[in-house]
Amino acid sequence: MTSSDRNRDDPGDRSHSHDGHEHPHEDDKVSTAMSAEQGSVVQFSVPEMDCPSCAEKVENSVRKLDGIISVGPQVTTGTLSVSYDGKRTSPDAIAERVEKAGYTVENNERATATFIVPDMDCPSCAGKIENALAELPELSSYDTQPATGKVITTYDNDSISPSKIVDAIEHAGYEVTDSTATNAGAGDTPVDDRESVWTSSRAIKTWISGGFVAFGLLFEFLLTGQNVLVAEYAGREVLMADVLFLVAIGVAGQVIFRNGYYSALNRNLDIDLLMSIAISGAVIAGLVFNQSLYFEAATLAFLFSVAELLERYSMDRARNSLQELMDLSPDEATVKRDGDEVTVPVADVTVGDIVVVRPGEKIPMDGEVLTGESAVNQAPITGESVPVDKTEGDEVYAGTINEQGYLEVEVTSEAGDNTLSRIVEMVEDAQANKTEREQFVERFSSYYTPVVVGFAILVAVIPPLAWGASWPTFIVYGLTLLVLACPCAFVISTPVSVVSGITSAAKNGVLIKGGNHLEAMGAVKAIAMDKTGTITKGELTVTDVVPLNGNTEEDILRCARGLESRSEHPIGEAIVEFAERSDVGTPTVDDFESITGKGVEADLDGQKHFAGKPGFFEELGFDLDHVHATTDGGVVTAKSRQMCERNNCVDLLEETVPQLQSEGKTVVLVGTEDELEGIIAVADEIRPGAKLAVQRLHDLGVEHIIMLTGDNDRTARAIADEVGVDEFRAELLPDEKVGAINELDESYDGVAMIGDGVNDAPALAAATVGIAMGAAGTDTALETADIALMADDLSKLPYLYELSHDANGVIRQNIWSSLAVKALLALGVPFGLVPVWVAVLVGDAGMTTAVTGNAMRLSRITPESLQQGQDQSF
């Protein structure tokens, strides 16, 4: 498994090595990877590097790569340590340079396994598991994801078994219910089959504890006459109510003290350890110092257990949004084998198999329709609300629904490599990509807990010692502050919002590949749009053919077909397709050359020909002001009506070309070195929703929308005016598009660029956020873009902006509200304004539930609601 390496100041995910540094995932060839003070460090096992000259050869070869900071070959151990800039090179590239020096990089048979740990639902839980896994030197990396309840590990398959990893996780106090590793020794409980939070063993103990607390209160305050003496020791009385409270502590406290023990064992100052100290302190104060704090301790144990159940329930809601994505694909498929139809698990379906899909069934695999016609609901993948007609040769995706007809589909990808699987994998990976706010919160929380614990000790001790205040009162105040010392609600506020936003977007056909991209998209004030294929449909057609200098339409199309037959430009493809339909011949083509941003040239039947922009022909020395028009029976053709004083002469620069371009058409001239043969006009239809999308973006607060195109100025102006963008730039070469993006970035402190994800790759990479459109069938776009709109639907862009903008608002609300509530409660404790139950139910459970519920509101935003102009207020 590979993923991008990161510097220490850009942690990305909770992925670690055993020195406590951030730790990237790595390729099977990589022995060990970890972060260094400068860049990232990767180690390779190179056993053949056994002498100083070998080491020198390897070092010289590796240093040829850009981004290498230092190289440290160790001849005695046969290992190579390389410090490098992860943005400029990668472990794979380094391994390749080692092999080019003539040395083999040993394959250590590394394996990656995912463990399902549903009780790991907060950062402090993850911290305990990380501390336990840090004791396993055989682990190369581990990645804890509280938002999904998963632990992802990379390890040496020969030196450690998955069951040992499970033991380490469970030794930290958390049950592993499932695993992708074989022989892991984990439970086998699918997510959907797990017991409800409210009927779990902890819930039952909580309810029993609550019953004893209720009876204790009854004897303490109402049935005071029946609150009899039960025991007496060392002159201290134990009443019936005290016994009931102690039983309540014992029942609810089992899990609390168990988790607190594991927290102490793993040197983790978290809520479990803090609550264990608080409850123990109250009980000890009653038993040893004759301070009656049993009620407070029992209330603390019961309410904290309720708080933990609420937190688990809230996190399960967030996790279920991703689980719904994973459940889109069916578990079984009907496959044709040996003339029969057999039902097999999707994991057993291979590339080339023929899958049968009947009306109402989900398509189990990506593939191509061999037989049948039907309307397919692609909403699970692309978010399109209207089913798409599919016929022979069309591509279909796993997880989409066959609405009507019978289909036979030839499978084109394995179950783990289809579009849906890649979406789910990228969404899971995206949750580990931390936003700047999340990194700040984690840094802040590392100081918050020790400071509040110190404050709690001072509040509990100083007033009684210094001013003779009541010990029971201020001990309770100290215990209350210990409850508030856990920053769980504060820390979970950002990741739960990111999970909600990213999974909601994925369900609506928008793939956001990281919380940092979600955050950045909501902050941009400028958006750049490519023209062809983004604002327009990208389906070019020939609209006009204007012959010149005695040539016929057939002559023009024949030459154009030859010139453009080897071009990969959409305009060239449209001309070739039109020429083929017109049944014109094909000349012999030699010495073809594409001139970037201008046109093409080639020898047709031995004569040099050119095709391209009017400016290209001006550079070749043609006078475009006076060109002889072809007539038909003495009548000049429709596009050649503007005649100058010369006989049958047209002014291309001032009349014909501008007229075509003002209609939104792109003009291509065709000619030889000596003669201009004709004009071909090509047009692309504007997407129906383009104008509404631009208007909606303006309404949502985008300050500047610019259209970037390599097309001519007049065509660009016509389309820009119709769509309503603020600015357009025409006749841009690829590097000029990048320059325009950089200018916008400087002017607006961030810019989003939307294009096709392939031809616009440089501009997308230069933008703050790169958005690829129509990416469902394009692997390159899925891999390279920061955000991918799975369908060719521009209406998803306002939805994406609104979702990202509101997600930023939700994150801010969650962070500052949880911090403010904790601060106010902490300040009120020394003045007796905050009882223990308020600290537990409001400061802990209440805020955790509140931030999760607030984050889940992001799922209410839909493309349909935006199209109807129904703003969601956050």
Side-chain angles (χ1 to χ4, degrees), residues 537-718:
K537 290 183 177 180
E539 300 170 358
L540 298 169
T541 57
V542 174
T543 58
D544 302 273
V545 179
V546 182
L548 302 171
N549 293 316
N551 292 285
T552 65
E553 288 191 10
E554 289 75 14
D555 295 334
I556 307 306
L557 290 174
R558 182 176 180 274
C559 292
R561 179 179 184 178
L563 286 164
E564 301 288 3
S565 60
R566 298 185 184 181
S567 172
E568 296 181 354
H569 197 282
I571 291 176
E573 293 173 356
I575 291 174
V576 170
E577 183 181 349
F578 184 81
E580 288 175 350
R581 291 202 308 268
S582 301
D583 198 25
V584 300
T586 305
T588 302
V589 183
D590 296 302
D591 297 331
F592 173 85
E593 183 181 354
S594 175
I595 303 167
T596 304
K598 297 179 179 180
V600 296
E601 65 175 73
D603 289 343
L604 304 181
D605 295 332
Q607 184 178 14
K608 179 70 72 176
H609 277 73
F610 304 89
K613 297 178 177 179
F616 179 39
F617 277 81
E618 284 190 292
E619 291 179 10
L620 294 174
F622 282 91
D623 179 9
L624 301 184
D625 292 329
H626 299 90
V627 181
H628 288 280
T630 297
T631 61
D632 182 10
V635 180
V636 180
T637 54
K639 293 300 178 185
S640 307
R641 291 175 181 168
Q642 299 297 329
M643 312 297 293
C644 69
E645 294 178 356
R646 304 179 190 181
N647 185 38
N648 285 350
C649 190
V650 295
D651 186 342
L652 295 186
L653 285 182
E654 296 297 329
E655 299 293 347
T656 308
V657 170
Q659 180 181 346
L660 291 167
Q661 292 176 341
S662 65
E663 296 170 5
K665 298 173 182 177
T666 300
V667 173
V668 177
L669 304 188
V670 180
T672 66
E673 293 177 302
D674 305 314
E675 180 184 66
L676 192 61
E677 297 176 328
I679 304 171
I680 298 177
V682 178
D684 187 8
E685 185 180 351
I686 295 175
R687 292 186 184 278
K691 184 174 182 178
L692 180 61
V694 170
Q695 179 184 339
R696 186 71 184 126
L697 286 169
H698 279 132
D699 293 342
L700 291 171
V702 178
E703 295 177 7
H704 196 78
I705 301 175
I706 183 173
M707 183 182 76
L708 305 179
T709 179
D711 211 337
N712 67 82
D713 186 88
R714 290 189 183 88
T715 300
R717 183 182 300 277

Side-chain angles (χ1 to χ4, degrees), residues 852-869:
T852 304
N854 193 34
M856 295 305 293
R857 292 194 301 138
L858 292 172
S859 62
R860 295 191 345 224
I861 303 175
T862 64
E864 291 75 17
S865 68
L866 291 178
Q867 288 172 358
Q868 295 166 7

